[in-house]
């Protein structure tokens, strides 16, 4: 199983860009990188997924260098409602197998 | 519309009294997962179904069982709940052969008295 390492916590202010980096040194060739967001007492919610280079959607961007041993989730102009735990997951290479959650990063956004 | 539904949202049981949590999905996904999440911890995978094939994580206690009678429904049975089993239980689904994106339900918070 590919293991991921993220910062335990990060603090930011409203309107700032937040970048959360995840290390996954043992990522396999067929693995995708997926980020989830979780609010207290709710199930995790899919944010973004990528394989290489850059992926952007309406809520975030994901940057993946050529060696794919790390990835960076970028949240533009965060607001108070972005306060949550963010998890980086790396797939086993074949959908249908288990994804294992790491410890996640608790992002706190202040006004 | 809700895609992964968990009932009940809150469940209280007594020490040692069997309890069943349910999950249903309207996505027709062939893979369903059960996770346990304790306070301030990451979700921990208990087991998952790939169609009807059951896959148990090595460290999942025997006290936890699961049933999947059809594609849409999956149940988590806790045969003799202990105080340490109090947690949020999350159900998730995905489509095998795509890209591992999981869709989570809102969870059931289990309290053991």
């Amino acid at each position: 199983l590919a293991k991921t390492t993220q910062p335990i916590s990060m603090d930011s202010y409203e309107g700032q860009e937040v970048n959360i980096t995840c290390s996954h040194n043992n990522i396999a060739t067929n693995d995708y990188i997926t980020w989830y967001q979780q609010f207290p007492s709710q199930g995790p919610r899919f944010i973004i997924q990528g394989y290489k280079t850059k992926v952007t959607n309406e809520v975030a961007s994901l940057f993946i260098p050529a060696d794919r041993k790390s990835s960076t989730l970028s949240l533009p102009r965060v607001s108070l409602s972005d306060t949550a735990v963010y998890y980086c997951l790396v797939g086993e290479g074949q959908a249908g197998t288990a994804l294992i959650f790491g410890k996640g990063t608790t992002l706190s956004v202040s006004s | 519309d809700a895609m992964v539904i968990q009932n009940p949202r809150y469940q209280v049981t007594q020490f040692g009294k069997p309890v069943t949590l349910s999950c249903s999905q309207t996505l027709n996904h062939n893979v369903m997962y059960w996770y346990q999440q304790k306070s301030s911890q990451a979700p921990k995978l208990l087991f998952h179904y790939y169609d009807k094939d059951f896959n148990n994580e090595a460290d999942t206690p025997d006290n936890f069982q699961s049933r999947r009678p059809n594609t849409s429904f999956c149940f988590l049975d806790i045969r003799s709940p202990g105080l340490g089993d109090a947690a949020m239980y999350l159900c998730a689904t995905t489509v095998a052969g795509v890209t591992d994106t999981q869709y989570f339900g809102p969870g059931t918070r289990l309290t053991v008295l």
Side-chain angles (χ1 to χ4, degrees):
Chain A
L1 297 174
K3 182 178 178 180
T4 59
T5 304
Q6 306 173 231
I8 296 296
S9 63
M10 295 183 69
D11 295 317
S12 182
Y13 292 97
E14 283 188 294
Q16 290 188 334
E17 178 184 80
V18 171
N19 296 307
I20 306 174
T21 297
C22 178
S23 298
H24 27 79
N25 291 318
N26 298 321
I27 189 169
T29 302
N30 295 330
D31 286 349
Y32 281 76
I33 300 154
T34 311
W35 285 79
Y36 288 85
Q37 174 192 57
Q38 187 177 28
F39 298 112
S41 298
Q42 295 186 25
R45 183 176 74 101
F46 171 86
I47 303 175
I48 196 166
Q49 184 179 75
Y51 183 80
K52 62 180 179 180
T53 63
K54 177 184 175 181
V55 180
T56 299
N57 62 21
E58 62 275 9
V59 297
S61 295
L62 179 60
F63 299 91
I64 306 168
D67 66 6
R68 304 202 325 124
K69 294 184 183 298
S70 67
S71 59
T72 299
L73 174 72
S74 181
L75 303 172
R77 302 181 60 81
V78 294
S79 64
L80 296 175
S81 62
D82 292 317
T83 295
V85 180
Y86 292 82
Y87 294 99
C88 163
L89 282 75
V90 175
E92 276 297 299
Q94 181 176 5
T97 57
L99 292 179
I100 305 300
F101 282 79
K103 295 186 184 301
T105 298
T106 299
L107 173 65
S108 298
V109 181
S110 303
S111 57
Chain B
D1 290 336
M3 296 183 291
V4 182
I5 303 162
Q6 291 188 245
N7 286 309
R9 293 293 311 278
Y10 302 90
Q11 177 73 56
V12 180
T13 190
Q14 292 180 337
F15 183 93
K17 184 176 181 180
V19 65
T20 295
L21 309 181
S22 72
C23 176
S24 63
Q25 51 126 340
T26 60
L27 299 164
N28 203 34
H29 286 175
N30 57 350
V31 187
M32 294 186 77
Y33 305 84
W34 279 106
Y35 289 86
Q36 178 194 62
Q37 186 174 28
K38 296 186 177 181
S39 182
S40 300
Q41 296 184 20
K44 178 181 180 297
L45 182 67
L46 296 174
F47 25 59
H48 73 280
Y49 278 93
Y50 189 134
D51 292 323
K52 293 185 178 182
D53 293 333
F54 178 70
N55 299 272
N56 196 34
E57 291 300 297
D59 57 354
T60 298
D62 293 339
N63 197 27
F64 291 85
Q65 303 288 321
S66 185
R67 295 170 284 136
R68 189 180 186 187
N70 54 53
T71 300
S72 300
F73 286 87
C74 195
F75 300 98
L76 170 62
D77 300 310
I78 308 176
R79 293 192 296 186
S80 181
L83 298 179
D85 296 327
M88 175 78 85
Y89 290 87
L90 296 162
C91 174
T93 73
T94 194
V95 181
V98 186
T99 55
D100 291 329
T101 302
Q102 295 185 3
Y103 296 83
F104 284 83
T108 294
R109 181 164 298 282
L110 177 68
T111 300
V112 181
L113 301 177

